[in-house]
Amino acid sequence: MKRVIVVSAAAVVIAATAAFPAQAGRTTAEPAATTQYVVLYKEGATAANAQKAIEAAGGTVVKVNTAVGLATVTTTNAGFISAIKDNAAIDGVARDRVIGSVPKSAARTAIGARATNQAKAVEKEGREHGAVKHDRNAKAEPLSDLQWDMKQIHAEEAHKYEKGDPKVLVGILDTGIDGSHPDIAPNFNRSLSRNFTVDIPYDANGDVVDGPCEEEPDQSCNDPNDVDEDGHGTHVASSIAAPINKLGISGVAPGVTLVNLRAGQDSGYFFLQPTVDALTYAGDIGVDVVNMSYYIDPWLFNCTDNPADSPESRLEQATVIKATQRALNYAHRHGVTLVSAAGNGATDYTKVITDASSPDFASVPGQAPYSRTIPPSCVSMPSEGEHVISVSSTGISKRKSYYSDYGNGYVDVASPGGDAYDTPGGTRDITKATLSAYPKSLAIANGEIDADGNPTVNYVVKDCAGATCAYYQYLQGTSMASPRAAGVAALIVSKYGHRDGRNGKTLDPDVVEAIMKGTATKTPCPNPPAYTYTRHLPSGATVTATHTCEGTTASNGFYGKGIVDALRAVSL
């Protein structure tokens, strides 16, 4: 989701697992002196020279992504950035986080500082107690009547021509995939799936991030490649490729293969090194389409010359831009179609705006978000990266969702992501969000099902086929719109792709993008183009906001080239 979705620095391997054994013994008054950085090598510089520069500055290389030239580095040198930033072999450096413990007294009890951010709040809008009653469709997938989103893009009709080829690989760069979910497991490839993250219990301020490792189900900071302890990634994966199996729902491309490329933390943070590693791995193994419903923390927008930022912060943001673009280029060259959520900030990316959400992760004690003026020259990654298809969200009426970011020249296509207020008069209805798979373990942990396994909240739905039961949840957001567009891309590769030498299929990403845009339903701006959204909140308050759509029917800031259409895409 752009300007609402991703940035941060580096995964954590080897040293990180040693740094977070168990969080007992957190008694020191100051954070540990060891800090982790990501360092970007200059293009053309040898790895040997870059590593010499790192060592000379007092750093130790933990891991290197050789495809991009991005290294995770630890050091006790407080002046590490100053010591290395001007070296001829180095193109950028960004602080990642403090390695070690923080004072127990400083740690907050709320799980995941990012859970309070705008993206999470938008996605979970409309959550209330009391199960929603629904009918079960006996002819199609049982919950298909609840999938208005599939009808909007004519996905069910498209399945008469193309359901998706198992040889087509779709990578989910997200918080993970529950590979055991009954409505995902048939299409899940465990052997190719990877987890590029390590759980981070606390940030440098002592705030809870992913939580203590000993409280994890496996009592480890290293999670398997088939779990999702957030739920976001499972929802995304299911939207793309839930199989047609007389259980629950169907995805847009129910026959393709899902690969978990976990790059997000349990708490929803996405840092630079894991996202870069996931993208280059996708290119290496022949993934055809990736969905990226995130932005790279800690900066929603990356600016290289913002006067509000310190020189160190500017360097960090420049590093994010350069490293991410290198990874996007690598994946694109290797045949990966790149699809990204536009963001949930309800802002026009082509205008000057104000952002007060960054940096959203504390890598040093005392660090906190501050207000910045953001000109269009600042970029959110990966959604504003080159070769990336940026997707805005529509509601059930096909209007742009109230929360969706937009901008003429920013949005490439639109896709259904839900809008709980897209109702007569602007009252809230959770069924106007989108329904996809939800890990049972989270439903239990969050108290959303009773002792008999029945939902107690309006956003969780249960479906059973004999003794096999599965759970689904309603969410809305450009995070939900993007995978439905990615599903259309997967159908395009399935229909028109050719063998790739790995016993799989492939199709030039530029061709996939051209077909997706060329077959999208051209959708004009509202008339008048300044559209006012009205929302009647449960508190009794009424909120209004006006968004102005610029452009033509063929290409505009709300819908880009149009709303994706699965049927037209596979029936050329």
Side-chain angles (χ1 to χ4, degrees), residues 105-150:
S105 59
R108 298 178 183 172
T109 57
I111 295 179
R114 201 178 196 205
T116 61
N117 76 5
Q118 189 174 30
K120 289 283 188 180
V122 162
E123 289 168 7
K124 297 182 178 181
E125 179 72 56
R127 297 195 151 203
E128 296 171 350
H129 289 286
V132 172
K133 295 185 181 300
H134 61 88
D135 295 322
R136 199 168 189 269
N137 192 316
K139 295 182 179 180
E141 287 298 90
L143 301 181
S144 61
D145 289 347
L146 303 180
Q147 292 188 274
W148 61 266
D149 49 288
M150 295 282 282

Side-chain angles (χ1 to χ4, degrees), residues 41 44-56 61 64 66 87 89-90:
Y41 299 175
T46 66
N49 286 342
Q51 291 186 35
K52 284 180 182 177
I54 290 168
E55 292 169 0
V61 175
V64 181
T66 56
N87 190 284
I90 303 302

Side-chain angles (χ1 to χ4, degrees), residues 1-6 114 119 122-123 173-174 232 236 240 270 289-296 300-301 328 337-347 349 379-385 387-394 403-406 410-417 476-486 516 558:
M1 318 175 316
K2 204 159 182 171
R3 288 202 175 186
V4 158
I5 320 176
V6 230
R114 201 178 196 205
V122 162
E123 289 168 7
L173 273 76
D174 217 288
H232 192 274
V236 165
I240 296 172
F270 286 77
V289 180
V290 297
N291 185 80
M292 303 178 290
S293 291
Y294 61 84
Y295 70 83
I296 298 172
L300 174 53
F301 298 102
L328 293 170
T337 297
L338 304 159
V339 184
S340 177
N344 298 341
T347 56
Y349 270 33
V379 296
S380 186
M381 297 296 280
S383 63
E384 287 190 283
H387 311 303
V388 175
I389 302 170
S390 181
V391 185
S392 65
S393 175
T394 60
Y403 53 77
S404 180
D405 285 315
Y406 57 102
Y410 168 52
V411 170
D412 291 301
V413 292
S415 181
Q476 64 178 16
T478 55
S479 279
M480 287 68 245
S482 180
R484 287 163 174 84
M516 184 187 294
F558 277 15

